Amino acid sequence: MLRFLVFGDLHLEDCTDGEERLECILRHAKEEQVDFMVSLGDLCFPTEKYAHIMDRIRSCGIPVHHTIGNHDVQEWDITHSLCFLGKERPYEAFEAGEYKLIILDTCYWKSEQGEYHFPNKNRVPSLYPVVPQEQLSWLEEQLSDGKKYIIFSHMSLVNPFARRGIANKEAVQQLFEGKDVLLCMNGHDHGSDLKMVNNVPYYTVSSASQFCWWGGNPPGSEVKNLFYKDPLHVIVEVDEREIRIRGMESAFVDLTPEDVGVDDYRWNGVDVHPCAQSCIIKRYE
Ligand SMILES: [Fe+2]
Ligand SMILES: [Fe+2]
């Protein structure tokens, strides 16, 4: 059986208690004796101020695989962020017995001129992130060895909301056809979601810190961070029969979605209740 912890979007730069949140996650990983952890990106700005965070994560005794998030490359080139996170490549694959873990890098933006890695310093208008052809070819090759695959990405591979899920969802989903893709997990949306598309489960892990609301006129002129009391994250167990995702319940620290007019707790295609949903997905049904 494979057991791992997944968290994302801690955004240490936005939190006053970010280090406590991280400690709570590391403690839980130890208690659960997970095989490894995955950070789904947007961990912290890759600056000197947070270098000790990376040391702390490295010293926890459990392997941590990092995913590139847009805030990790908001102002910095990918080479800088890779070095900060201790990653060799922006997208990579690891084997764990019969399973293969594939970590994608979805932080590319698409404009009329082409597809580029973040940062988008000139603010060229681009509606969606995208996975470029070169990475798609790499992914296709990775999926050709008959293993059981678990895919991680910062942006969703299915969320249709603008600027949320990738533009070329169908191209990625097509590569999964006929392959044993057990689960895809993403962050970025700061809420929870689970969709089944062509028998592949796509699970969105909520943020380990907050739901970021924006509104006003023009849209985006008003921004509020609605903090979740606990660092939301999940424990995933995979065996030959099923995939168990164990989430957690929390509460809002102060402001709630009702306070900003999100009465139905739906935001950009995800559920922003203060919880990471639990579920059991049966394999081979
Ligand atoms: Fe984020
Ligand atoms: Fe993000």
Side-chain angles (χ1 to χ4, degrees):
M1 187 182 72
L2 199 61
R3 182 189 287 129
F4 54 94
L5 183 152
V6 185
F7 73 98
D9 299 277
L10 182 53
H11 287 270
L12 268 146
E13 62 281 352
D14 292 336
C15 303
T16 51
D17 59 352
E19 294 193 33
E20 287 161 46
R21 287 172 183 265
L22 180 64
E23 287 302 328
C24 174
I25 291 169
L26 297 182
R27 209 164 41 238
H28 195 198
K30 276 217 160 133
E31 282 165 13
E32 293 282 343
Q33 298 185 315
V34 297
D35 301 312
F36 58 87
M37 284 185 268
V38 176
S39 162
L40 290 171
D42 287 0
L43 177 65
C44 60
F45 286 163
T47 59
E48 196 51 43
K49 187 178 173 191
Y50 299 109
H52 68 287
I53 295 295
M54 297 313 300
D55 292 339
R56 175 67 190 106
I57 292 175
R58 266 189 290 273
S59 70
C60 79
I62 300 170
V64 183
H65 300 302
H66 291 279
T67 313
I68 299 286
N70 53 311
H71 286 262
D72 303 318
V73 282
Q74 180 173 288
E75 303 290 337
W76 305 272
D77 288 338
I78 181 68
T79 43
H80 171 87
S81 303
L82 286 174
C83 180
F84 180 85
L85 293 168
K87 269 172 84 75
E88 278 180 32
R89 286 173 292 276
Y91 44 93
E92 48 198 342
F94 304 92
E95 293 191 10
E98 60 186 317
Y99 302 101
K100 187 190 253 185
L101 319 166
I102 297 178
I103 298 189
L104 299 177
D105 177 7
T106 51
C107 295
Y108 294 78
W109 48 276
K110 187 184 174 81
S111 76
E112 281 173 7
Q113 282 74 43
E115 296 162 349
Y116 304 92
H117 205 285
F118 283 100
N120 182 355
K121 284 179 179 150
N122 296 327
R123 306 253 172 229
V124 179
S126 80
L127 250 193
Y128 287 93
V130 69
V131 176
Q133 186 54 49
E134 188 187 321
Q135 194 176 153
L136 289 178
S137 303
W138 172 86
L139 177 59
E140 187 172 15
E141 201 184 305
Q142 290 300 320
L143 294 169
S144 65
D145 56 5
K147 292 227 166 217
K148 297 169 184 11
Y149 307 101
I150 302 172
I151 317 281
F152 303 95
S153 59
H154 184 63
M155 278 84 161
S156 168
L157 306 179
V158 289
N159 191 344
F161 274 63
R163 291 194 177 87
R164 308 314 300 175
I166 57 165
N168 49 351
K169 299 169 195 63
E170 288 78 13
V172 173
Q173 291 164 20
Q174 259 170 30
L175 296 180
F176 297 162
E177 275 175 29
K179 308 291 181 185
D180 213 349
V181 178
L182 304 182
L183 177 65
C184 297
M185 303 188 89
N186 73 283
H188 186 58
D189 293 330
H190 291 226
S192 294
D193 192 49
L194 174 64
K195 282 187 180 66
M196 293 296 288
V197 179
N198 301 329
N199 262 341
V200 175
Y202 294 83
Y203 182 98
T204 304
V205 182
S206 194
S207 160
S209 62
Q210 94 291 54
F211 150 44
C212 179
W213 171 88
W214 61 90
N217 196 7
S221 55
E222 228 187 302
V223 178
K224 285 191 167 77
N225 286 331
L226 282 59
F227 282 93
Y228 301 127
K229 224 173 210 168
D230 301 284
L232 299 177
H233 59 275
V234 297
I235 303 282
V236 185
E237 290 175 343
V238 183
D239 63 26
E240 53 289 341
R241 288 181 303 115
E242 59 190 26
I243 300 154
R244 293 177 291 280
I245 301 179
R246 213 167 350 116
M248 55 194 284
E249 301 275 327
S250 185
F252 281 100
V253 171
D254 180 16
L255 281 178
T256 68
E258 280 107 332
D259 294 330
V260 292
V262 183
D263 292 347
D264 60 358
Y265 283 64
R266 295 293 300 176
W267 182 254
N268 285 337
V270 295
D271 181 333
V272 291
H273 279 95
C275 74
Q277 58 182 299
S278 299
C279 58
I280 295 177
I281 302 156
K282 299 280 180 201
R283 288 172 60 180
Y284 311 119
E285 274 191 345

